[in-house]
Amino acid sequence: MEYSQYQNVPTFSQRHELREVPGPPLLEEISGQARNSLWGALWKQIEGSTEVTHAGYRLGDPWRTVLASVHQHFFNRPLDEFSVRRGDWQTLCKATLLGEPYNQCFDLLEMVIRHPNCPMDFVKELREIFHYQLAYRIDTTSTPTIVPAATEQEGDALIGAIHDLAEAGLGGAAEHLRQAGERIRDQDWAGSVSASINSVESVAKQVTPGNADTLGKALAVLERRQDLHGALKSGFSSLYGYASAEPGVRHALLEDESKVTQDEAIYMIGACAAFCSYLWRKFGTSGREGR
């Protein structure tokens, strides 16, 4: 068992009710323990790349290259002002990961792990920290992306669906699910619901090639073939109808503000990820043969 897996095991004091047991990780939050873990993982990488010169401790590659990109594109500073002094970056990154809001921390980490020179052992360690200490996961199926996981089961289902869709060549559907997760992180609840529905529509149209240009038509085709149970079709049609009717989701806002909240967005991304997987497992082979 990796050390990070022990982070959520109750301590002696907690087991004997001498100290409160912390609750599960929550969306839009990073606990102090998780912040320390994230900073510790980055600190080890920066330390490991250090070069000792006559002028002091300097960043070595690959982190000199990675952090130069962060300097320019995350902190929005001119590249000619980039500092190679290790201490400068330890101070700057520590202040961000320990003190800034969760979304800025995730923006920094995402920019780092998306850099082509980012070491894979760092990405692996971050994935473990996220899995055990945060209500988010890091999807590495394609472009590394931080996605929400309100529960461990929801996180596993979402990552599994993205991976399965990408493996099946359904990159569009996988990208819609990734976008749904990113929009939850950005608190764009309506946008997340729309992206979630788009993922299902993309898969449904793939398994009914030439027969449907919308999700509603695709579901009707599958039902007529007696491949899709009427209750399942009805249930998802209702969700599709909700997304189409709710202001700000499938259509632009007019006079009313969207009533979509984080709860609906989290529910929809989980439901749509599961339905995408179901559609492809059940109808994918016949859909490919029908092209």
Side-chain angles (χ1 to χ4, degrees), residues 47-161:
E47 284 284 306
S49 76
T50 298
E51 296 176 350
V52 181
T53 70
H54 68 280
Y57 297 104
R58 295 289 185 264
L59 293 172
D61 280 326
W63 285 96
R64 184 199 303 258
T65 302
V66 173
L67 292 176
S69 181
V70 170
H71 168 89
Q72 184 177 13
H73 301 295
F74 179 78
F75 291 107
N76 297 314
R77 297 178 181 176
L79 190 57
D80 62 302
E81 296 178 6
F82 173 67
S83 170
V84 297
R85 291 192 292 270
R86 182 190 67 182
D88 291 345
W89 279 97
Q90 287 178 326
T91 299
L92 193 58
C93 291
K94 182 178 182 180
T96 300
L97 293 178
L98 296 189
E100 295 298 329
Y102 84 99
N103 59 304
Q104 292 186 38
C105 294
F106 289 173
D107 287 345
L108 170 62
L109 294 173
E110 235 181 23
M111 182 167 290
V112 168
I113 62 179
R114 286 177 171 179
H115 195 284
N117 290 2
C118 179
M120 287 308 300
D121 60 329
F122 177 63
V123 178
K124 180 181 178 182
E125 184 169 4
L126 279 194
R127 291 187 70 186
E128 290 184 357
I129 294 170
F130 271 74
H131 185 87
Y132 292 104
Q133 299 186 42
L134 291 160
Y136 295 85
R137 298 286 187 274
I138 297 178
D139 169 49
T140 56
T141 305
S142 179
T143 303
T145 302
I146 297 171
V147 297
T151 67
E152 182 173 355
Q153 293 75 18
E154 288 178 355
D156 292 344
L158 177 58
I159 295 297

Side-chain angles (χ1 to χ4, degrees), residues 34 88 205 217 235 255:
D88 291 345
K205 288 159 68 174
K217 291 179 181 179
E255 296 179 358

Side-chain angles (χ1 to χ4, degrees), residues 13 18 20 23-24 28 55 67 78 113 125 140 154-155 162-163 173-174 190 194 213 218 228-229 236 273 277 282:
S13 297
L18 301 175
E20 183 179 357
E28 302 183 12
L67 292 176
I113 62 179
E125 184 169 4
T140 56
E154 288 178 355
I162 291 174
H163 179 268
S194 179
D213 58 2
L228 179 66
H229 193 283
F236 209 85
S277 295
K282 187 170 180 65

